[in-house]
Amino acid sequence: MDKPALLLTRPRDSAERFAARLSKSALQDVSICISPLLEIDKCGEAPDVSRYDGAVFTSARALDFAPTLSNGIAFCVGAQTAKAVKAAGWQVEMVAQTADELVARMRDAKVTGRFVHLAGEHRRGQIAQRLTQAGMQVDVFTLYTQHLRPLSQDAQRILAGEVPVIVPLFSPRTAAQFVDQAQDLRRVAVAAISPSVAEVFQGKLPKALHIAKAPTGEEMVRTVEMLLCGDRFP
């Protein structure tokens, strides 16, 4: 089998960080194309976080626009988010793999206080609403928006080529944009971070579709490396 190409659709900085986590052996002779399907722009003013007991972070992207509360408590979705939040000076109190898990753990731990969810315009899980219903006071501040972008000509050329193409996808919205934009999925193997991402492909199936064992960056790296090395690619 020809060595596959790797098509990365996250914002360029995130795509480059993900590529850097892949092993050199998996990337040997692999062509990488970065074609961001999202463009991040600031769209709101950050709140005075000193008025809160802590913050909720569901994406490390919020740190690009958020102030830091020295030793402020943070509740995070995702290990990579938590790592970035800690590096920014926050004290990470809790890390969950998904929004549902974070809500359940905060509720079960009987967390109290006033918190702020620093987020993007497009978000899932209704975290603030559910935590408020559980007795916490949680405000949401939208700090950035994510504009949809088309696939680049280079990406379309790779998809129309003769080699297999590995496409990791990290959100249902990005997956939907990829399905809308991709002109040819016959040689595409998708690595989906979650079942909700995989569900987007029900009406337009790629050649292969693999769901990471857990919705984490680490498992996405393992899934992509597996596909790059030819394992389980039909």
Side-chain angles (χ1 to χ4, degrees):
M1 185 185 75
D2 293 329
K3 198 69 173 177
L6 178 63
L7 175 56
L8 302 176
T9 62
R10 305 183 87 181
R12 182 166 293 276
D13 56 347
S14 298
E16 290 174 347
R17 285 195 297 268
F18 182 79
R21 297 179 65 185
L22 299 170
S23 68
K24 291 183 179 180
S25 59
L27 289 177
Q28 186 174 359
D29 299 324
V30 171
S31 61
I32 300 177
C33 176
I34 298 179
S35 176
L37 290 176
L38 294 177
E39 182 178 334
I40 308 298
D41 285 320
K42 180 180 178 181
C43 70
E45 295 301 322
D48 178 4
V49 293
S50 67
R51 298 187 292 116
Y52 296 92
D53 298 307
V56 174
F57 290 92
T58 49
S59 171
R61 183 64 62 182
L63 294 168
D64 293 341
F65 310 97
T68 297
L69 179 61
S70 180
N71 294 320
I73 295 174
F75 299 82
C76 304
V77 173
Q80 292 301 309
T81 299
K83 181 178 179 181
V85 167
K86 183 177 181 180
W90 293 81
Q91 178 182 326
V92 176
E93 181 75 11
M94 186 179 294
V95 184
Q97 289 188 353
T98 66
D100 288 345
E101 181 188 342
L102 183 66
V103 170
R105 288 179 58 189
M106 290 181 70
R107 183 179 58 237
D108 293 346
K110 295 180 171 49
V111 175
T112 60
R114 186 183 183 197
F115 301 94
V116 59
H117 182 191
L118 301 172
E121 181 180 5
H122 299 276
R123 52 186 177 266
R124 293 167 57 85
Q126 297 181 313
I127 288 179
Q129 179 182 345
R130 293 161 67 191
L131 290 177
T132 298
Q133 291 172 347
M136 289 161 258
Q137 183 178 349
V138 183
D139 298 329
V140 181
F141 279 84
T142 301
L143 302 183
Y144 61 96
T145 189
Q146 309 100 311
H147 300 291
L148 293 174
R149 304 293 300 165
L151 281 171
S152 67
Q153 291 184 352
D154 284 345
Q156 296 287 15
R157 177 181 53 78
I158 289 172
L159 291 171
E162 297 300 322
V163 301
V165 184
I166 313 300
V167 184
L169 292 168
F170 293 81
S171 75
R173 188 164 181 255
T174 304
Q177 178 70 350
F178 176 73
V179 169
D180 179 73
Q181 288 286 308
Q183 298 175 6
D184 192 341
L185 296 179
R186 291 176 297 169
R187 285 168 291 278
V188 170
V190 170
I193 195 170
S194 67
S196 61
V197 170
E199 288 173 2
V200 174
F201 288 88
Q202 287 182 351
K204 191 176 179 181
L205 290 175
K207 182 176 180 62
L209 178 59
H210 296 280
I211 303 174
K213 291 182 179 179
T216 65
E218 182 178 17
E219 286 300 330
M220 282 293 282
V221 166
R222 291 176 182 173
T223 303
V224 170
E225 287 182 341
M226 172 194 72
L227 293 170
L228 286 172
C229 294
D231 187 13
R232 294 175 62 190
F233 197 118

